């Protein structure tokens, strides 16, 4: 069986205790590799290495072009090794290989290319003052970044954190999710091959509470904590950061509202709405998991939507043509199943869906639930969507905003004014109009309410991963 090790100070290493845990392939439900189980010792070694690489190392002092060349080299190696990386994520968490190979891996390479170029081309402000001074901004690297990643887009979300951190001259300790360790170790090996100095990118495997996650967020040598995952975990991590006044960036859960107006192009709305909640088996923080449809088209939309949901192909994530694989782990499958099991008791009607083979859940469409039902309020993180009709635009906005979350929302309409009006009224970090998932890496990404704190992307990542500095200079009138 394969062994997946930590990468600390440029070297692959086991834990000092020798401890390991299994990583499970959720399709076969069997362990497929063993993983070094880190603890306080490995966090100490990794943070020490990252600290040294930052404080004494060349990385923060390199020019943007030199650092950028290494990051572009890493992007090239990601593409060269795309098959291996994609297979690692698919084996670890069951997403279709066509998704990991066609989406996650290319986007991971693009994260490095984009942030390398963005940092190099970035400009600050020059502020001429009436007092005979001028001020300008500098963006100093923050230091050591702790990145704690989830399992739903393992490599893609890890690189979304690592790439801007590194591009701005920081060093990183990454803790991948325990369910998806494999691609992170490959990434760190590729970084060494790309010429990244030792200690700049470290990977430590382990669990969250009482383990690597807790030790890393408690370490006062860490200057930034960036986390993606559950809202409850985000609160624990925010508290750990607060103990040392370490800034945190939290991208947390969601319960995205999807509004389909009667004037929408229904086929466009159906296509995107299907992708919005069933891609990656619904294990997407951005999932459009609350679908509201204007009453005039409710039945017509629902018929097309259910038919499209039933046409999706479930199965072995490694087979061509599979669109939905199993859920990522047994624990997660049990969580999603608990929601499916209570549809009837909550008064809901399952239009299609239910349990699949093994740890799979079929695309599940539920109607007739009261808005206070757990299925309508909590993040399910599976292929389960609740659908309800609405009458007016105002009703749609009220329903969409009736959630503790606010990561994203989407709306479908051919009415230009309505599109802008509703987009402005929705309480969310991102609003998509007549589309979904489309990203510009310069745009702010993050959520309001229980969906998190802060934004990443473009200059927003720069704000978080640097210490912006004002330099104020006096300009003398003449030589003294
Ligand atoms: P989680 O938030 O507990 O785990 C995410 C990462 O945080 C993992 O690397 C984990 O080891 C780490 N972690 C957990 N507790 C920690 C702590 N106290 N200190 C430091 N690190 C810690 O998410 P989990 O348990 O894997 O999934 C539970 C639910 O969270 C899912 O069912 C889903 O609803 C939600 N979730 C949301 C994600 C999103 O993208 N918004 C991603 C993953 C999960
Ligand atoms: Mg957890």
């Amino acid at each position: 069986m394969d062994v997946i090790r930590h990468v600390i100070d440029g070297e692959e290493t086991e834990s000092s205790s020798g401890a390991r845990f299994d990583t499970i392939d959720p399709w076969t439900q069997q362990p497929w590799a063993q993983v070094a189980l880190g603890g306080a010792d490995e966090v100490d070694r990794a943070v020490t290495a990252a600290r040294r690489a930052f404080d004494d190392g060349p990385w923060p002092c390199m020019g943007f072009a030199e650092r950028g060349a290494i990051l572009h080299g890493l992007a090239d190696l990601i593409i060269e090794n795309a098959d291996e990386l994609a297979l690692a994520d698919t084996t670890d968490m069951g997403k279709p290989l066509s998704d990991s190979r066609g989406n996650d891996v290319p986007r991971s390479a693009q994260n490095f290319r984009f942030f390398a170029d963005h940092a190099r081309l970035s400009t600050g402000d020059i502020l001429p003052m009436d007092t005979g001074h001028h001020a300008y901004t500098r963006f100093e690297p923050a230091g050591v970044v702790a990145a704690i990643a989830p399992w739903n887009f393992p490599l893609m979300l890890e690189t979304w954190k690592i790439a801007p951190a590194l591009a701005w001259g920081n060093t990183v300790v990454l803790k991948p999710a325990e369910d998806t360790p494999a691609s992170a170790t490959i990434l760190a090996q590729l970084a060494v091959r790309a010429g990244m100095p030792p200690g700049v990118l470290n990977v430590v495997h382990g669990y969250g509470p009482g383990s690597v996650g807790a030790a890393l967020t408690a370490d006062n040598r860490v200057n930034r904590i960036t986390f993606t995952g559950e809202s409850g975990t985000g609160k624990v991590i925010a508290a750990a950061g607060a103990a040392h006044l370490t800034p945190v960036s939290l991208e947390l859960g969601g319960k995205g509202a999807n509004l389909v107006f009667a004037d929408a192009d229904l086929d466009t709305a159906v296509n995107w709405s299907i992708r919005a909640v069933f891609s990656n088996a619904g294990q997407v923080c951005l999932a459009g998991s609350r679908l509201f449809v204007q009453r005039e088209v409710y039945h017509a939309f629902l018929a097309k939507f259910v038919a499209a949901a039933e046409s999706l192909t479930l199965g072995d994530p490694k087979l061509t043509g599979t669109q939905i694989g199993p859920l990522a782990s047994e624990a997660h499958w049990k969580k999603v199943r608990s929601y499916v099991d209570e549809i009837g008791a909550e008064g809901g009607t399952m239009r299609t869906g239910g349990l699949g083979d093994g740890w799979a859940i079929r695309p599940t469409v539920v109607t007739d639930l009261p808005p206070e039902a757990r299925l309508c309020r909590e993040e399910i993180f599976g292929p389960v969507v609740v659908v309800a009709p609405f009458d007016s635009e105002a009703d749609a906005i009220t329903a969409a905003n009736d959630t503790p979350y606010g990561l994203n929302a989407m709306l479908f309409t051919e009415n230009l004014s309505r599109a802008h009006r509703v987009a402005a009224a929705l309480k969310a970090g991102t609003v998509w109009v007549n589309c979904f998932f489309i990203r510009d890496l310069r745009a702010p990404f993050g959520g309001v309410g229980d969906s998190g704190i802060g934004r990443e992307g473009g200059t927003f990542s720069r704000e978080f991963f640097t210490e912006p500095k004002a330099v104020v200079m006096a300009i003398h009138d003449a030589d003294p």
Side-chain angles (χ1 to χ4, degrees):
M1 203 185 290
D2 292 346
V3 180
I4 297 162
R5 299 184 179 84
H6 316 294
V7 179
I8 300 176
D9 214 7
E11 303 279 349
E12 273 191 70
T13 168
E14 295 265 354
S15 294
S16 54
S17 67
R20 290 181 180 170
F21 64 102
D22 288 335
T23 180
I24 312 283
D25 175 343
W27 175 249
T28 63
Q29 302 177 12
Q30 297 302 316
W32 74 274
Q34 285 214 309
V35 191
L37 173 58
D41 235 35
E42 286 64 43
V43 169
D44 178 56
R45 281 161 61 200
V47 175
T48 301
R51 196 69 264 167
R52 201 212 55 245
F54 185 81
D55 294 333
D56 312 335
W59 190 252
C61 309
M62 268 182 198
F64 286 107
E66 194 183 349
R67 228 166 27 220
I70 295 174
L71 297 175
H72 273 280
L74 176 53
D76 294 341
L77 286 173
I78 288 172
I79 296 301
E80 273 173 39
N81 293 274
D83 290 337
E84 191 192 355
L85 286 161
L87 192 60
D89 277 355
T90 287
T91 312
D92 263 345
M93 59 74 69
K95 72 169 58 197
L97 196 54
S98 54
D99 288 351
S100 44
R101 183 66 183 82
N103 178 66
D104 295 28
V105 172
R107 285 178 67 186
S108 301
Q110 184 56 25
N111 283 338
F112 284 106
R113 295 195 198 289
F114 170 80
F115 283 107
D117 293 348
H118 183 268
R120 186 170 52 83
L121 298 173
S122 194
T123 55
D125 292 319
I126 294 188
L127 309 163
M129 298 163 74
D130 289 343
T131 53
H133 302 77
H134 84 279
Y136 63 91
T137 48
R138 291 179 51 85
F139 296 92
E140 314 291 2
V144 172
V145 171
I148 300 185
W151 43 260
N152 53 338
F153 292 86
L155 185 69
M156 206 284 284
L157 288 175
E158 286 158 5
T159 55
W160 170 247
K161 297 175 179 309
I162 295 167
L166 294 181
W168 284 102
N170 302 282
T171 60
V172 172
V173 179
L174 166 69
K175 192 203 88 62
E178 52 270 33
D179 289 319
T180 52
S183 56
T185 287
I186 301 170
L187 177 73
Q189 292 165 334
L190 296 178
V192 172
R193 276 177 56 196
M196 204 172 283
V200 171
L201 173 60
N202 307 275
V203 174
V204 183
H205 296 291
Y207 301 105
S211 177
V212 173
L216 186 56
T217 52
D219 195 312
N220 67 2
R221 296 170 296 167
V222 165
N223 303 102
R224 293 288 186 277
I225 301 170
T226 169
F227 168 75
T228 299
E230 197 195 357
S231 298
T233 310
K235 290 173 190 172
V236 173
I237 287 175
H244 303 294
L245 293 178
T246 306
V248 295
S249 173
L250 305 174
E251 200 265 279
L252 308 177
K255 191 75 178 170
N258 178 0
L259 308 179
V260 178
F261 288 91
D263 57 23
D265 177 320
L266 278 201
D267 289 324
T268 299
V270 168
N271 285 337
W272 282 117
S273 302
I274 288 284
R275 286 183 59 185
V277 73
F278 298 131
S279 55
N280 210 28
Q283 301 164 122
V284 182
C285 52
L286 300 166
S289 52
R290 294 182 300 141
L291 177 49
F292 300 101
V293 185
Q294 203 156 19
R295 204 174 298 276
E296 294 92 302
V297 295
Y298 181 72
H299 291 291
F301 178 92
L302 197 59
K304 283 174 185 259
F305 184 74
V306 166
E310 288 175 345
S311 76
L312 294 171
T313 307
L314 262 78
D316 182 344
K318 289 176 186 158
L319 290 182
T320 315
T322 295
Q323 291 165 297
I324 301 188
L327 295 181
S329 65
E330 183 174 25
H332 188 58
W333 168 67
K334 284 183 173 160
K335 174 188 153 172
V336 176
R337 199 182 64 179
S338 79
Y339 290 97
V340 174
D341 287 344
E342 70 186 42
I343 292 169
E346 293 262 29
T349 309
M350 195 191 317
R351 301 290 179 136
T352 185
L355 306 186
D357 295 334
W359 295 341
I361 303 272
R362 288 162 41 219
T364 299
V365 180
V366 188
T367 58
D368 307 321
L369 282 168
E372 61 280 4
R374 211 166 70 96
L375 279 117
C376 297
R377 302 208 65 81
E378 297 176 8
E379 180 176 55
I380 298 174
F381 223 62
V384 181
V385 58
V386 296
V387 193
F390 68 85
D391 290 306
S392 68
E393 182 181 305
D395 293 344
I397 292 167
T398 303
N401 287 343
D402 179 21
T403 172
Y405 293 108
L407 191 57
N408 64 291
M410 64 211 98
L411 65 120
F412 293 88
T413 177
E414 293 297 310
N415 178 322
L416 190 62
S417 296
R418 165 174 285 150
H420 289 292
R421 245 182 354 247
V422 176
L426 290 171
K427 194 183 74 170
T430 300
V431 176
W432 279 286
V433 180
N434 294 334
C435 63
F436 181 61
F437 273 143
I438 309 294
R439 293 277 308 280
D440 184 312
L441 301 188
R442 294 169 298 186
F445 185 77
V448 306
D450 280 358
S451 291
I453 298 179
R455 298 289 186 276
E456 293 185 20
T459 52
F460 302 89
S461 294
R462 179 180 73 180
E463 296 298 304
F464 182 69
F465 289 115
T466 64
E467 292 288 1
K469 178 189 284 176
V471 180
V472 184
M473 287 190 62
I475 304 170
H476 298 299
D477 286 341
D479 279 343

